[in-house]
Amino acid sequence: MTKKILHHPRSGRYLAWAVVGLLLVFPVITADVGGAESKSRGPIIDMHLHAFPADFLGPPGKLNPVTGKPSAAIATEEIMAASLANLKRFNIVKAVLCGPDRELLDKWKAASPDRIIASPMINGKSSPQDPHYNIASLRRDYLAGQLGAMGEVTAQFQGLSPNDPALKPYFALAEELDLPVGVHMGPGTQRGASPLRMSLGNPLELEEVLVRHPNLRLYVMHAGWPYLQEIKALLHNYPQVYVDLATLPWLWPREEFHYYLEGLMRAGYGKRLMFGSDQLFWPEAIEMAIAGIESADFLTEEQKRDIFYNNAARFLRLEQ
Ligand SMILES: [Zn+2]
């Protein structure tokens, strides 16, 4: 749980984004008044939102890698309040909230019980005695409805394949309880001495897991970037698998994100792509992520609605 999991590159060289980011800071604070925006926009499901204590992975006030500025929300409670306000403002009706701290997950859920689907992060290295990772206590909390999904599974940051034996009990539990499971595959910025290995982010590392657990409701986070061919191969052979597009719409160069997204669309997977913000410490990232999808001119409005809502609603089996 104390292991580093931050995995997003610094890409402050995009000056245009810095300007956009500055413009976003103020609206975040006053987000609750954004009724017009939420009414004019169709509903959105965020499959990849984070709840971290502000001092997680370093002191509070971390710089938004795109804007180069800290968010207007600095403290843990401020980040929660501003993020929840942005969910409301942008008509995000459900959000899978991933975090390492169960008390904090509970706090977010209590503040917005209809929107938040609490989801414990699983790293594959922590002691099974820790209640956060203990199978029996997890089962109890899932059955009680306190938790609703599993992930982000961050084994890649520990230098583990998702196929590592340490993760077997978690995938078995998810299959038994029919839970959505998000597995981080792909991006990492812990360069140098970190245990993360880019090779372990290859989506095909999931193949044995999917064979062993044919009923697992698995989604590949970050769409397995940069493994475009491999994620297509996985989606081809395992039609139950979905992906989220988290991080890429706002932290990646726009052209690269659109190139990757277009590749998935061209291959015919437009019904299995789901929006994710990957809000970490910066609530403004939610709007930035939405903009990354909205600006994809090659998508029809219907395809955007699929990515923003319809695909995730089907994957989560929301009643409609
Ligand atoms: Zn991730």
Side-chain angles (χ1 to χ4, degrees):
M1 177 155 112
T2 56
K3 299 276 183 181
K4 287 184 177 179
I5 55 158
L6 189 60
H7 48 273
H8 304 294
R10 295 177 189 285
S11 47
R13 60 190 181 276
Y14 301 103
L15 185 60
W17 271 113
V19 175
V20 172
L22 283 170
L23 294 172
L24 291 178
V25 167
F26 182 68
V28 163
I29 303 172
T30 56
D32 234 356
V33 299
E37 278 146 306
S38 62
K39 282 196 192 81
S40 63
R41 189 186 296 274
I44 294 177
I45 296 172
D46 186 345
M47 292 297 292
H48 197 136
L49 184 69
H50 283 295
F52 291 135
D55 60 358
F56 192 63
L57 304 173
K62 286 177 265 299
L63 304 183
N64 179 319
V66 175
T67 66
K69 308 274 181 190
S71 173
I74 302 284
T76 304
E77 302 276 337
E78 292 171 343
I79 295 170
M80 179 179 88
S83 297
L84 290 172
N86 271 353
L87 297 186
K88 192 172 176 189
R89 179 180 171 208
F90 294 107
N91 201 12
I92 298 177
V93 294
K94 292 281 178 198
V96 175
L97 184 71
C98 315
D101 179 331
R102 282 294 301 283
E103 278 181 29
L104 190 55
L105 287 180
D106 291 347
K107 212 176 265 185
W108 281 63
K109 188 168 166 58
S112 189
D114 293 339
R115 282 193 173 84
I116 295 298
I117 300 171
S119 186
M121 293 181 84
I122 303 291
N123 63 22
K125 273 280 171 80
S126 294
S127 165
Q129 306 313 316
D130 181 332
H132 183 87
Y133 301 100
N134 181 271
I135 295 293
S137 49
L138 285 172
R139 180 184 282 110
R140 182 197 61 215
D141 293 346
Y142 282 115
L143 292 175
Q146 200 59 24
L147 298 172
M150 184 183 286
E152 166 164 25
V153 175
T154 55
Q156 189 188 350
F157 294 96
Q158 312 297 332
L160 299 178
S161 164
N163 193 32
D164 192 276
L167 293 165
K168 281 185 179 174
Y170 299 102
F171 289 131
L173 179 69
E175 187 179 41
E176 174 197 331
L177 299 181
D178 196 20
L179 306 168
V181 186
V183 181
H184 173 99
M185 297 300 283
T189 54
Q190 300 164 297
R191 301 184 178 106
S194 138
L196 177 140
R197 293 291 176 271
M198 289 305 292
S199 56
L200 296 172
N202 184 331
L204 294 176
E205 289 282 321
L206 286 162
E207 203 162 21
E208 296 307 317
V209 175
L210 293 165
V211 169
R212 199 181 312 122
H213 302 288
N215 297 316
L216 200 58
R217 288 165 65 194
L218 186 141
Y219 67 108
V220 179
M221 293 173 147
H222 314 290
W225 184 94
Y227 289 102
L228 181 56
Q229 303 308 321
E230 289 80 0
I231 192 67
K232 286 196 285 190
L234 197 81
L235 290 168
H236 168 72
N237 211 40
Y238 303 93
Q240 73 274 32
V241 172
Y242 281 58
V243 306
D244 83 29
L245 300 168
T247 314
L248 311 178
W250 68 284
L251 260 178
W252 257 239
R254 182 59 56 81
E255 282 186 10
E256 168 61 12
F257 168 54
H258 285 177
Y259 161 80
Y260 201 80
L261 176 59
E262 202 165 14
L264 291 166
M265 295 299 299
R266 195 167 44 236
Y269 296 123
K271 295 286 186 190
R272 290 154 72 189
L273 313 180
M274 306 187 290
F275 172 75
S277 67
D278 208 359
Q279 186 298 116
L280 294 157
F281 303 97
W282 311 288
E284 67 274 16
I286 294 168
E287 181 167 13
M288 296 163 82
I290 292 171
I293 307 283
E294 294 280 18
S295 61
D297 293 337
F298 52 89
L299 295 177
T300 65
E301 281 310 306
E302 191 184 342
Q303 288 168 332
K304 287 180 186 174
R305 289 310 312 150
D306 282 346
I307 291 170
F308 276 131
Y309 182 82
N310 297 332
N311 296 342
R314 188 185 323 111
F315 181 75
L316 294 173
R317 302 191 193 133
L318 299 185
E319 292 178 32
Q320 294 179 61

